[in-house]
Amino acid sequence: EEHRWAGDALLAGTLLVVLGIASVGMAGLGGAYYSWSYGVAGARTMMTVALVLPLFLRRSFPVLVLLSAFALTLIQAVFIQAPVPGDAVVPIVVHAAAAYIPDRRWGYAALGSGLVGSVIAALQWTGFPFDHEPGLLMTIFLAGVAVVGVGYLLGIRQRDRREHAAEQLTAMAER
């Protein structure tokens, strides 16, 4: 636990490289499609980097990471209105909130905002209501719900295991 920053730095650094390269590559492939996004050049790459950078503090300051991810995805929903590779950090942030914030209500809030984000993403990314494809809409929504739900459940499981181990150590120390 005292060197938690090393694991967070490894995770965030790896995601920064992989997702950063993916967002730069997607900008070249889909530039014409996303040029309508209010003329913001490189918005996908900037948003990806902005979403990944807080992961360096994932276990040290999980509330800050959760709030920054919430704010950034809200900005993405308003201004970019398209998926970015950095969206892959959402289940990691939900996991961090469920596992590392002492007050469980933050985990519930992360789960709830992730589920609402799944609805918003499905509606925006399918062109609803103008280009309505119910199958695609449900696929995107259910995939978002599954990914966010798995992140939450793994976080709760990790928290419960850590609390159970602490209880066992306390019981053994009392004997």
Side-chain angles (χ1 to χ4, degrees):
E1 285 293 317
E2 64 188 52
H3 299 293
R4 68 174 76 179
W5 60 268
D8 290 344
L10 180 65
L11 173 69
T14 302
L15 286 174
L16 193 58
V17 170
V18 171
L19 297 177
I21 290 171
S23 67
V24 169
M26 289 177 75
L29 293 175
Y33 179 75
Y34 295 110
S35 63
W36 56 267
S37 294
Y38 301 100
V40 179
R44 296 170 61 88
T45 302
M46 291 185 329
M47 183 58 71
T48 295
V49 170
L51 282 166
V52 173
L53 282 178
L55 291 183
F56 282 100
L57 306 171
R58 180 176 63 101
R59 288 185 277 181
S60 302
F61 301 100
V63 174
L64 179 65
V65 172
L66 175 63
L67 293 176
S68 67
F70 179 80
L72 288 167
T73 53
L74 188 61
I75 290 168
Q76 176 189 353
V78 171
F79 293 109
I80 298 177
Q81 300 175 350
V84 299
D87 292 336
V89 306
V90 170
I92 298 169
V93 171
V94 171
H95 170 272
Y100 302 117
I101 301 175
D103 188 355
R104 288 183 183 259
R105 291 178 290 187
W106 283 101
Y108 300 141
L111 176 63
S113 62
L115 296 177
V116 169
S118 297
V119 171
I120 293 169
L123 292 174
Q124 280 191 339
W125 300 348
T126 59
F128 186 84
F130 305 108
D131 190 20
H132 184 60
E133 294 182 37
L136 181 61
L137 181 92
M138 286 305 294
T139 301
I140 292 174
F141 169 69
L142 292 176
V145 167
V147 169
V148 168
V150 166
Y152 176 77
L153 291 174
L154 290 174
I156 290 298
R157 172 84 169 129
Q158 182 176 352
R159 173 198 290 272
D160 290 344
R161 289 184 70 188
R162 194 172 53 248
E163 289 174 353
H164 182 69
E167 289 173 6
Q168 286 183 334
L169 287 174
T170 304
M172 288 175 56
E174 292 175 354
R175 290 184 192 171

